[in-house]
């Protein structure tokens, strides 16, 4: 029904940058909030940043000033630009989108498959 394809993870040295992308496709009428979460080993999944369909953004305190979330509605894609990366940012990063289907007022949450980000010290 709805597929999310993530890309952009990898291995980077501390202080480096990476850009994550997450593209949505399938039976979509509209997309509301788009978000990035991350989960480090033996830790709970946490919200990194989100952006509403009006462009309002929200960030975890730990990434403010270093990460920037953005979206391209025409491409149904959300991005996460990560600068000044720290070893503590090492985690699997997941995107999540809230989708409205045609002829339905219900919003459905979909998750990406996850992409590994590893920051070496």
């Amino acid at each position: 029904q709805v597929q999310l394809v993530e890309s952009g993870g990898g291995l980077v040295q501390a202080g480096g940058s990476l850009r994550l992308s997450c593209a949505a496709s399938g039976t979509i009428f509209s997309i509301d909030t788009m978000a990035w979460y991350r989960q480090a080993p033996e830790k709970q999944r946490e919200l990194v940043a989100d952006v509403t369909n009006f462009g309002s953004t929200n960030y975890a305190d730990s990434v403010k000033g270093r990460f920037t979330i953005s979206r391209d509605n025409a491409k149904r894609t959300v991005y996460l630009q990560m600068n000044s990366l720290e070893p503590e940012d090492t985690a699997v990063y997941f995107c999540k989108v809230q989708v409205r289907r045609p002829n339905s007022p219900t919003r459905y949450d979909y998750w990406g498959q996850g992409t590994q980000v590893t920051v070496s010290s």
Side-chain angles (χ1 to χ4, degrees):
Q1 300 224 4
V2 174
Q3 296 79 41
L4 300 180
V5 177
E6 299 179 15
S7 61
L11 173 65
V12 65
Q13 288 188 332
S17 298
L18 284 173
R19 188 192 194 207
L20 305 182
S21 300
C22 172
S25 62
T27 307
I28 298 171
F29 175 72
S30 65
I31 299 177
D32 290 352
T33 300
M34 307 180 85
W36 287 97
Y37 286 73
R38 67 186 181 186
Q39 187 166 18
E42 302 182 356
K43 291 188 176 181
Q44 290 189 332
R45 190 172 297 189
E46 63 175 358
L47 175 67
V48 176
D50 61 28
V51 56
T52 71
N53 52 338
F54 298 106
S56 296
T57 58
N58 174 55
Y59 295 92
D61 287 343
S62 60
V63 307
K64 283 180 180 177
R66 300 188 298 122
F67 291 10
T68 302
I69 190 170
S70 61
R71 61 190 285 171
D72 184 329
N73 292 325
K75 294 183 178 179
R76 294 175 172 173
T77 299
V78 61
Y79 305 97
L80 186 68
Q81 177 66 44
M82 304 184 293
N83 298 329
S84 302
L85 282 161
E86 303 168 352
E88 293 73 24
D89 297 316
T90 295
V92 178
Y93 284 70
F94 299 88
C95 64
K96 186 183 84 169
V97 299
Q98 290 182 332
V99 171
R100 293 182 189 268
R101 298 174 183 170
N103 303 312
S104 173
T106 306
R107 291 183 296 182
Y108 298 87
D109 288 343
Y110 292 90
W111 289 87
Q113 79 282 5
T115 185
Q116 178 69 46
V117 171
T118 302
V119 184
S120 62
S121 57

